[in-house]
């Protein structure tokens, strides 16, 4: 469920949605809903307070997942009660939530108990915005509130049953619950890690490689690795994490999975996989062209540049402005030599890579020095220059 601000997306990645009933045929009811829309953050807070008293047993559901689901659900109810078409990202919400809770191992009865609190939350919110004057309108529309909640409950029950059956057919239910524990629990020690590794069929002290895939490529990645029992897949809040024990000369970097992903190899021990997955997600979120893996070596300069721009606004501006005064061809040549020399540190290798004479490389490095005021042959200046130059797509792609 997604967190929503009152008019703009928040830093947590919330979806901005406009609530426009148009010309209502029932203006008093519509006015109530519009008032509640402006206060819908209170609906989420009320739901979370009630949810605190519900136990999901041993199921581990991330806090941000509960919050995002509550916010999205309240938005969906308000759209439905107003008779509006649902935004595209809310149309499949019941199925997505039910499938996710089934994979997380949430007991259906506890899940439905949490959902049925939605009616109490909505009714309390409507009473609050209606006041004494609007209570008659509210009572007259009680059936609408019940209908949207019960419709959601029915959709959830059906989708949960279908997902649980699918997981059972593929023998994934137990495996997914183990993965949920790996990614969401604080493992108590080596004995617990050993038990978890044994249940998953991997070596607790083995070496792993990890992929993180963002929402655009999740479906492709799931299809590709669905039948690969040596690859473990865990989905959580808009990202898919894949990991497996690393094999010599058959790594994902060598094979190329065929879709964009962040990639972290050489992860020592099963307990280190969740942290590596978080790092892989940061890499996956970097802008790159083509269906290829993004490694720390590929992206560290861009990530560093982004952080420096946050702490020191305009950090890369002088270099960018200096290069922008060059002709497009000159700028392209300077960025090419900076990228190659920055990676190899060798005049000879750079000349071979760029198919030009070594004197041409020296001259271009000298020209770059003159343009940006930093010398790539001096390590401290090179570090600053390369991080600043990473803001150019011609440099990183």
């Amino acid at each position: 469920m997604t967190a929503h601000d009152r008019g703009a997306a928040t830093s947590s990645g919330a979806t901005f949605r406009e609530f426009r009933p148009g010309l209502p045929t029932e203006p008093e009811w519509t006015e109530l809903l519009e008032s509640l829309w402006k206060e819908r953050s209170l609906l989420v807070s009320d739901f979370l307070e009630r949810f605190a008293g519900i136990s999901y047993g041993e199921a581990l559901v991330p806090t941000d997942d509960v919050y995002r689901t509550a916010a999205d659900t309240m938005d969906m109810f308000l759209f439905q009660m107003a008779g509006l078409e649902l935004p595209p990202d809310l149309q499949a919400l019941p199925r997505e939530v039910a499938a996710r809770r089934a994979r997380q191992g949430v007991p259906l009865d506890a899940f439905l108990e949490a959902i049925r609190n939605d009616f109490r939350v909505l009714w309390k919110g409507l009473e609050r915005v209606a006041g004494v004057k609007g209570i008659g309108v509210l009572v007259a529309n009680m059936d609408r509130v019940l209908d949207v909640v019960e419709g959601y409950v029915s959709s959830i029950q059906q989708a949960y049953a279908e997902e649980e059956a699918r997981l059972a057919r593929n023998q994934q239910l137990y495996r997914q619950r183990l993965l949920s524990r790996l990614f969401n629990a604080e493992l108590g020690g080596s004995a617990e890690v050993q038990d978890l590794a044994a249940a998953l069929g991997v070596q607790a002290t083995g070496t792993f490689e990890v992929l993180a895939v963002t929402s655009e490529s999740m479906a492709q990645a799931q299809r590709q690795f669905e039948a690969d029992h040596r690859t473990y897949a865990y989905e959580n809040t808009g990202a898919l994490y894949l990991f497996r024990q690393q094999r010599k000369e058959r790594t994902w970097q060598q094979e190329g999975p065929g879709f964009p992903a962040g990639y972290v190899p050489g992860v020592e021990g099963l307990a280190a996989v969740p942290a590596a997955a978080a790092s892989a997600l940061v890499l996956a979120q970097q802008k790159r062209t083509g269906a290829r893996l993004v490694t720390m070596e590929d992206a560290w300069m861009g990530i560093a540049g982004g952080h420096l721009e946050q702490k020191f606004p305009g950090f890369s501006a002088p270099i960018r402005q200096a290069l922008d005064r060059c002709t497009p061809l000159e700028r392209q040549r300077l960025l090419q030599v900076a990228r190659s020399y920055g990676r190899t540190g060798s005049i000879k290798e750079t000349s071979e890579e760029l198919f030009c004479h070594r004197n041409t490389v020296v001259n271009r490095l000298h020209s770059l020095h003159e343009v940006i005021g930093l010398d790539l042959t001096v390590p401290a200046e090179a570090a600053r220059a390369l991080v600043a130059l990473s803001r150019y797509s011609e440099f990183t792609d």
Side-chain angles (χ1 to χ4, degrees):
M1 307 176 181
T2 312
H4 297 289
D5 205 351
R6 286 190 179 91
T10 68
S11 59
S12 64
T15 302
F16 171 69
R17 301 186 179 108
E18 291 185 306
F19 187 74
R20 294 183 175 178
L23 298 174
T25 57
E26 299 173 275
E28 292 178 322
W29 172 242
T30 301
E31 184 179 350
L32 283 183
L33 296 179
E34 289 179 321
S35 298
L36 191 56
W37 177 264
K38 294 174 184 177
E39 297 184 5
R40 65 196 193 282
S41 61
L42 297 179
L43 298 179
V44 177
S45 298
D46 187 13
F47 176 86
L48 294 176
E49 288 179 7
R50 296 171 185 272
F51 178 80
I54 296 172
S55 173
Y56 275 359
E58 296 181 358
L60 293 166
V61 180
T63 302
D64 63 331
D65 187 351
V66 175
Y67 180 81
R68 291 178 63 186
T69 305
D72 274 351
T73 302
M74 292 304 159
D75 278 13
M76 182 188 70
F77 288 154
L78 285 166
F79 273 92
Q80 290 175 326
M81 287 190 295
L84 297 175
E85 182 179 355
L86 288 177
D89 63 311
L90 292 181
Q91 291 174 4
L93 180 66
R95 178 167 295 278
E96 291 172 352
V97 173
R100 191 160 66 247
R101 293 294 179 264
R103 292 194 296 269
Q104 290 165 335
V106 175
L108 181 58
D109 56 348
F111 185 24
L112 294 177
E113 181 185 354
I115 292 171
R116 287 197 167 94
N117 273 325
D118 290 334
F119 176 80
R120 301 181 183 94
V121 169
L122 285 171
W123 192 257
K124 180 181 175 182
L126 286 165
E127 285 183 327
R128 183 174 61 250
V129 297
V132 176
K133 293 182 179 179
I135 197 67
V137 176
L138 179 55
V139 172
N141 287 278
M142 178 186 289
D143 286 345
R144 289 185 176 182
V145 185
L146 282 169
D147 286 346
V148 296
V149 174
E150 288 304 317
Y152 183 57
V153 170
S154 297
S155 298
I156 286 288
Q157 287 176 309
Q158 180 179 348
Y160 185 100
E162 291 173 357
E163 180 65 14
E164 197 164 46
R166 188 188 72 82
L167 289 171
R169 285 195 302 271
N170 295 324
Q171 298 182 343
Q172 289 293 313
L173 180 59
Y174 180 55
R175 179 159 154 163
Q176 285 298 317
R177 290 175 180 174
L178 291 172
L179 292 174
S180 181
R181 182 161 189 79
L182 171 65
F183 278 84
N184 295 298
E186 293 185 7
L187 300 179
S190 59
E192 189 173 359
V193 175
Q194 290 282 356
D195 291 344
L196 187 56
L200 287 170
V202 299
Q203 297 176 0
T205 57
T207 301
F208 297 86
E209 56 181 344
V210 180
L211 296 176
V213 183
T214 54
S215 56
E216 295 84 357
S217 302
M218 280 172 54
Q220 181 182 352
Q222 287 169 329
R223 287 194 302 270
Q224 186 162 327
F225 288 100
E226 189 173 15
D228 185 353
H229 299 297
R230 293 173 298 183
T231 298
Y232 298 83
Y234 178 71
E235 181 186 345
N236 187 24
T237 57
L240 177 68
Y241 304 107
L242 302 162
F243 71 93
R244 69 182 185 184
Q245 288 199 229
Q246 190 166 314
R247 294 171 288 175
K248 290 183 179 179
E249 300 181 356
R250 289 200 65 188
T251 66
W252 274 322
Q253 192 166 28
Q254 292 163 324
E255 295 175 347
F259 49 80
Y263 176 61
V264 177
V267 180
E268 297 298 334
L270 181 64
V273 165
S279 298
L281 181 59
V282 174
L283 297 174
Q285 291 167 339
Q286 303 305 302
K287 299 298 183 183
R288 288 293 186 274
T289 58
R292 66 183 182 91
L293 302 184
V294 180
T295 65
M296 184 271 291
E297 288 77 12
D298 298 322
W300 74 267
M301 287 184 287
I303 295 170
H307 284 294
L308 283 168
E309 286 290 348
Q310 290 179 355
K311 299 297 183 182
F312 304 100
F315 161 79
S316 63
I319 291 176
R320 186 174 64 251
Q321 291 164 3
L323 280 171
D324 286 347
R325 287 192 290 268
C326 299
T327 66
L329 180 59
E330 181 184 9
R331 181 170 60 250
Q332 182 185 32
R333 287 176 174 173
L334 294 179
L335 289 170
Q336 283 178 339
V337 77
R339 178 177 59 188
S340 180
Y341 184 78
R343 185 175 63 254
T344 66
S346 166
I347 299 290
K348 179 177 181 294
E349 290 183 38
T350 299
S351 67
E352 292 174 351
E353 187 173 285
L354 299 182
F355 303 103
C356 62
H357 195 275
R358 58 183 294 118
N359 289 344
T360 302
V361 173
V362 172
N363 291 336
R364 289 182 185 175
L365 287 173
H366 180 68
S367 296
L368 181 66
H369 185 189
E370 289 184 330
V371 170
I372 68 174
L374 296 171
D375 187 352
L376 261 65
T377 64
V378 178
E381 294 186 23
R384 180 181 171 188
L386 294 172
V387 169
L389 292 172
S390 69
R391 311 296 287 175
Y392 281 89
S393 60
E394 302 100 307
F395 182 83
T396 56
D397 288 337

